Amino acid sequence: MIPKMIMRNYPILFIVPAVILYTVFSVVPSFVGLAAAFTDWSTFYLFNPTFVGWQNFKDLFESTGFIGAIRHTLMYTALHTVFVIAIGYALAIILNNQVKFKNAYRVIIFSPVVINPLVISLVFSALYNPTYGPINTFLRKIGLGALAQNWLTEPKIAMYSVIIMGVWVGLGSTVVIFLAGLQSVSADFYESATIDGAGGIKKFRYITLPLTMHALTINTLLVLISGLNVFGEVYGLTNGGPNGATEVFGTFIFANFSQGLYGYAAAAGLVFTVVVSISSFTLLGLFRKMEVEY
């Protein structure tokens, strides 16, 4: 017979394994990383790191590579968020109407979400190939060969090439959330607005937008965090090149950690965590204020 004490506490027994795993693989590494950020821990001082205080952070903000990574990350995040939200919202509105084969379109739009970014990077690398890639080949065939570019090796346009891929990857989940929000809006609102003579713009302004603000808030936060956390797309396409033109937080931290500069990389990771947290809470507060106003 099972002891009564175990019977009373059996729900806790289901939680304990998850708590242990979370502690071992998340909480402990987080505190180790926090401590390492203030040391010179590296392959040279693997077993006897020395406390160096704020030196790693000072070196970071004196590094042109890190400043460039911050700038590129913010640029990627801003453009990625704007285009994913705008295009995703427009596609969701279209697919929410009576469109032929809309279920097939939904599957096509969502498919990139279930594919690993590194795999997608291989596909886009082939598309961007300056000699044999379909993009440049098409431009040459229609007489626009002057527009053909070295999409991934030209510093001025490499980041935009990465952003295009990132937008394509991010549309799937965004459209799904927007569709869920749009389908929660009763058709009676639109019928009443039509009777009152409201046009499409007014319906969007006074019905669609306010009643899907919760979906817009969720999507913007998710896309923003996804943009700040970008790694696979950049690593797969350019690995931060050419000459650091697409270096972002993720590739910068990875590169320094791979070189054995563990304390320096941990300091960069801590700065990254602070940037993501501040950006997320600021945006959340802004959207909460907008929801109240609507």
Side-chain angles (χ1 to χ4, degrees):
M1 182 178 292
I2 301 176
K4 291 183 178 180
M5 184 176 67
I6 295 179
M7 289 295 295
R8 286 197 303 268
N9 298 308
Y10 83 92
I12 298 177
L13 298 178
F14 287 99
I15 299 174
V16 169
V19 171
I20 293 174
L21 290 173
Y22 178 75
T23 302
V24 172
F25 293 104
S26 183
V27 176
V28 172
S30 296
F31 280 103
V32 171
L34 178 62
F38 297 92
T39 70
D40 61 353
W41 188 28
S42 65
T43 51
F44 300 104
Y45 305 100
L46 189 60
F47 300 107
N48 56 342
T50 304
F51 179 78
V52 295
W54 297 95
Q55 187 60 45
N56 285 329
F57 298 94
K58 181 181 177 182
D59 293 342
L60 277 173
F61 286 100
E62 290 177 352
S63 166
T64 55
F66 183 68
I67 299 301
I70 293 176
R71 184 172 64 252
H72 299 148
T73 302
L74 295 178
M75 173 186 172
Y76 178 93
T77 303
L79 294 177
H80 177 259
T81 301
V82 169
F83 283 107
V84 169
I85 294 300
I87 298 173
Y89 209 163
L91 287 174
I93 291 174
I94 293 171
L95 293 176
N96 194 47
N97 295 319
Q98 298 300 321
V99 179
K100 289 184 178 180
F101 311 114
K102 65 180 179 180
N103 289 332
Y105 295 142
R106 291 178 183 179
V107 172
I108 293 171
I109 293 171
F110 187 77
S111 60
V113 177
V114 299
I115 304 175
N116 189 289
L118 293 177
V119 175
I120 297 176
S121 297
L122 294 175
V123 176
F124 271 80
S125 294
L127 292 174
Y128 287 138
N129 187 288
T131 305
Y132 307 106
I135 297 175
N136 281 353
T137 300
F138 175 75
L139 290 173
R140 294 187 186 104
K141 285 188 175 182
I142 63 174
L144 297 176
L147 297 179
Q149 303 288 336
N150 293 318
W151 302 101
L152 300 178
T153 56
E154 173 58 46
K156 292 183 179 180
I157 63 175
M159 178 56 77
Y160 298 104
S161 301
V162 176
I163 291 172
I164 290 172
M165 172 184 154
V167 170
W168 185 73
V169 171
L171 279 176
S173 55
T174 304
V175 170
V176 169
I177 294 174
F178 274 135
L179 274 172
L182 288 167
Q183 290 174 359
S184 68
V185 180
S186 174
D188 295 339
F189 292 112
Y190 296 105
E191 292 176 2
S192 299
T194 301
I195 293 172
D196 291 337
I201 296 177
K202 287 188 176 181
K203 288 179 182 178
F204 176 79
R205 170 66 178 81
Y206 294 105
I207 299 175
T208 304
L209 185 59
L211 295 180
T212 58
M213 185 59 69
H214 58 292
L216 182 60
T217 301
I218 294 171
N219 262 335
T220 305
L221 281 173
L222 292 176
V223 175
L224 174 76
I225 294 172
S226 172
L228 291 172
N229 280 285
V230 62
F231 173 75
E233 293 86 340
V234 177
Y235 182 76
L237 279 179
T238 63
N239 195 21
N243 298 322
T246 60
E247 192 82 85
V248 292
F249 267 124
T251 55
F252 181 86
I253 295 170
F254 179 79
N256 283 280
F257 193 86
S258 299
Q259 294 171 18
L261 303 174
Y262 308 129
Y264 188 70
L270 184 57
V271 174
F272 170 65
T273 301
V274 172
V275 170
V276 172
S277 300
I278 292 175
S279 301
S280 300
F281 282 112
T282 301
L283 192 63
L284 180 60
L286 176 63
F287 272 97
R288 290 299 184 192
K289 184 178 179 181
M290 291 175 62
E291 287 181 2
V292 171
E293 290 178 354
Y294 273 109

